[in-house]
Amino acid sequence: MLDDAGLRALREAARLSPENLPLRQHLAGQLLAMGYLAEAEAEYRAALVLAPKNADITAGLAEAFVRQSAYGAALAALEPLLASPGYPPKLGVLAARALLAEGDTARAAHRYHDAVSRDPSVGDADLAARLSAPPVPASPYPAPAPAPAYPAAGSPPPDGAEVERAGFSFADVAGMEAVKEALRIKLLLPLQQPELFAAYGKRAGGGVLLYGPPGAGKTHLARAAAGELGAAFVNVGLADILDMYIGSSERNLRATFEMARRNRPCVLFFDEVDALAARRSDMRQAHTRQLVNQFLAELDGVDQKANEGVLVLAATNAPWYVDVAFRRPGRLDQPVFVPPPDAAARAAILRILCRDKPLAEMDFDAVARATEHCVGADLKGVVDRAVEAKLQQSIRAGRPIPLSTPDLLAAAQTVRPTAVREWMSTARNYVMHANDSGAWDELMPWVKRKW
Ligand code: ADP
């Protein structure tokens, strides 16, 4: 590494030949190594203007961002290169670091493993250790019952299902007070105070069906519930299970439940649970029925204690497709509506989404007013877009410019939140015309509004 005099000389040389790319890159690398992060960032940005899409410079810039805790900016810088299938593996490792820091362990692990499988030399032992779930503390729950002969014991879990540790809790879910309270009472308290519930003949376990428009935060909420409880989190897309070739879906489902039981306390999250029913009309009807039965058998558990400490959360955008058998007592018998956020909740979501970004003084209420009918996913899109624009502006200016209210307002103009309106109109049909059992009464006030 250079000494101060060497660094001064290098700076001076770069100043005299600003178009000399290798020189600027060398200076940026030295600054990064010496910990002058803001200056390194500025040098890399300037170098990137000379050589856009240069992988080494992008990596340096992303590294400077990550070391300054600007994870969103790092990901935004990496994104254009990561989008191509042959991206340089070291960029994947950097993205993994940023994603992990943002709490997105699943995507971080995916990025990391993909990168290392292509080039083992980019491996980072420390990062790999942080990506693998920490050991589960001694469990107060009974060991899982041995698996019956069929399906085969030790079957691999379905693709994509991994044990995660959520890095956040209900405090990171903005608004939704009624929904959080419902989950606390239905799921968390029985698990936190099993003796009290046992005294009334109630067991911890069982399930909740979260439903609502896409992007309203069902997955986010399920992850937060796991974090709130210090429980493991297993996320399964039912469509993935269904897409396995016929005959092995049941095995995958069993393996997934077994994985959750081994990691109790655990929140087992099934997204798109309506996929099971949506396939009813297709050629594989008999197979789907078998799979539904298997799912119900797993939910019921082989014995009283099988699912103790396993909380099943299922989510759907189309609750009316979900088999009524799922909603029998002890199964997913507790539907909870996850509504689109109102203005106060939108402001709170925006505040959470922006909290790790460099900010000017913000008027989140104004942005909330300008994003009517937006759900959490739309708001995330608004913030991502504003950050990207700001980043480009900053690159041009050669210095970081904080995100401001007008940036968010400008980005908000470009989103078209159609999902909620469409969802409400479908929901209205079911609530008005197919609500004999009163299952959708909770939606009545919502669908009556103008969307
Ligand atoms: P769904 O599962 O209902 O389709 P998601 O949970 O995937 O929706 O939400 C999309 C994204 O929106 C989340 O990753 C999160 O960043 C953001 N989000 C949604 N709701 C909230 C909320 N209440 N508080 C904070 N962020 C939220």
Side-chain angles (χ1 to χ4, degrees):
M1 213 190 299
L2 289 178
D3 58 16
D4 282 351
L7 184 62
R8 263 199 307 280
L10 194 55
R11 278 193 187 116
E12 183 58 17
R15 196 182 63 77
L16 292 173
S17 350
E19 304 298 320
N20 185 335
L21 185 64
L23 185 63
R24 294 205 86 144
Q25 221 177 320
H26 180 60
L27 170 61
Q30 290 297 324
L31 289 165
L32 191 63
M34 294 170 84
Y36 295 109
L37 300 178
E39 200 184 339
E41 182 197 319
E43 275 307 317
Y44 277 122
R45 286 173 193 276
L48 210 53
V49 173
L50 297 175
K53 296 209 165 190
N54 176 306
D56 288 330
I57 299 173
T58 306
L61 179 61
E63 166 107 38
F65 279 136
V66 167
R67 286 172 60 188
Q68 293 176 92
S69 307
Y71 308 114
L75 290 168
L78 292 167
E79 207 73 64
L81 295 186
L82 290 177
S84 78
Y87 68 86
K90 68 175 172 185
L91 299 188
V93 174
L94 273 164
R97 278 169 62 189
L99 287 164
L100 181 65
E102 283 201 320
D104 196 343
T105 318
R107 278 176 65 211
H110 177 78
R111 274 278 175 227
Y112 181 77
H113 294 306
D114 185 56
V116 173
S117 71
R118 285 181 29 226
D119 179 4
S121 74
V122 298
D124 173 338
D126 177 42
L127 180 61
R130 286 193 297 134
L131 281 171
S132 59
V136 182
S139 168
Y141 298 99
Y150 175 80
S155 329
D159 280 356
E162 291 168 7
V163 180
E164 290 177 35
R165 291 275 150 189
F168 55 90
S169 64
F170 278 168
D172 303 276
V173 180
M176 297 201 201
E177 292 314 323
V179 181
K180 286 191 257 184
E181 197 48 29
L183 285 184
R184 261 191 208 107
I185 292 172
K186 291 175 180 180
L187 287 184
L188 306 187
L189 285 180
L191 200 68
Q192 283 164 340
Q193 300 185 18
E195 310 79 17
L196 189 65
F197 279 74
Y200 289 90
K202 288 251 184 205
R203 286 185 291 140
V208 164
L209 178 66
L210 299 171
Y211 71 97
K218 298 180 287 296
T219 312
H220 189 65
L221 198 63
R223 242 193 209 100
E228 186 78 13
L229 209 68
F233 183 71
V234 174
N235 184 354
V236 192
L238 263 186
D240 298 344
I241 290 192
L242 282 168
D243 285 341
M244 307 274 153
Y245 57 92
I246 295 183
S248 66
S249 300
E250 287 85 356
R251 202 157 54 226
N252 285 318
L253 202 51
R254 158 146 289 254
T256 303
F257 269 88
E258 284 304 324
M259 181 159 82
R261 289 175 191 135
R262 274 197 306 276
N263 286 285
R264 57 183 119 206
C266 179
V267 170
L268 180 52
F269 178 65
F270 288 97
D271 204 358
E272 310 165 300
V273 77
D274 48 280
L276 275 176
R279 301 287 180 94
R280 282 268 203 92
S281 55
D282 77 9
M283 296 291 288
R284 294 176 291 176
Q285 194 175 358
H287 168 247
T288 305
R289 172 66 24 218
Q290 204 178 324
L291 193 60
V292 169
N293 289 340
Q294 165 84 19
F295 187 77
L296 296 176
E298 293 294 346
L299 270 182
D300 292 343
V302 278
D303 64 44
Q304 285 263 312
K305 300 213 156 185
N307 286 343
E308 229 171 272
V310 176
L311 307 179
V312 179
L313 284 182
T316 178
N317 306 326
W320 24 84
Y321 287 145
V322 176
D323 204 306
V324 280
F326 282 26
R327 290 190 261 121
R328 300 238 167 86
R331 295 174 177 169
L332 302 173
D333 54 346
Q334 320 194 40
V336 171
F337 178 46
V338 180
D342 60 15
R346 289 197 299 277
I349 293 174
L350 286 162
R351 200 165 283 122
I352 285 185
L353 290 170
C354 288
R355 69 184 162 190
D356 61 344
K357 321 259 185 280
L359 295 178
E361 199 170 318
M362 301 300 284
D363 183 353
F364 287 116
D365 292 330
V367 185
R369 283 195 294 279
T371 47
E372 210 192 346
H373 299 170
C374 280
V375 289
D378 299 322
L379 297 174
K380 190 164 187 309
V382 168
V383 172
D384 286 349
R385 239 175 245 200
V387 166
E388 266 165 44
K390 202 83 244 178
L391 193 58
Q392 286 182 1
Q393 217 178 318
S394 300
I395 290 174
R396 280 195 298 275
R399 64 188 163 84
I401 307 175
L403 201 63
S404 66
T405 307
D407 296 328
L408 290 181
L409 289 172
Q413 297 251 305
T414 64
V415 291
R416 282 166 32 91
T418 50
V420 172
R421 190 171 299 140
E422 275 168 24
W423 192 89
M424 286 294 173
S425 115
T426 311
R428 192 174 300 120
N429 272 330
Y430 282 92
V431 176
M432 300 295 188
H433 308 296
N435 192 24
D436 298 341
S437 62
W440 315 120
D441 284 352
E442 194 184 357
L443 286 178
M444 192 64 88
W446 292 91
V447 300
K448 281 188 172 163
R449 281 194 214 163
K450 191 174 172 320
W451 290 94

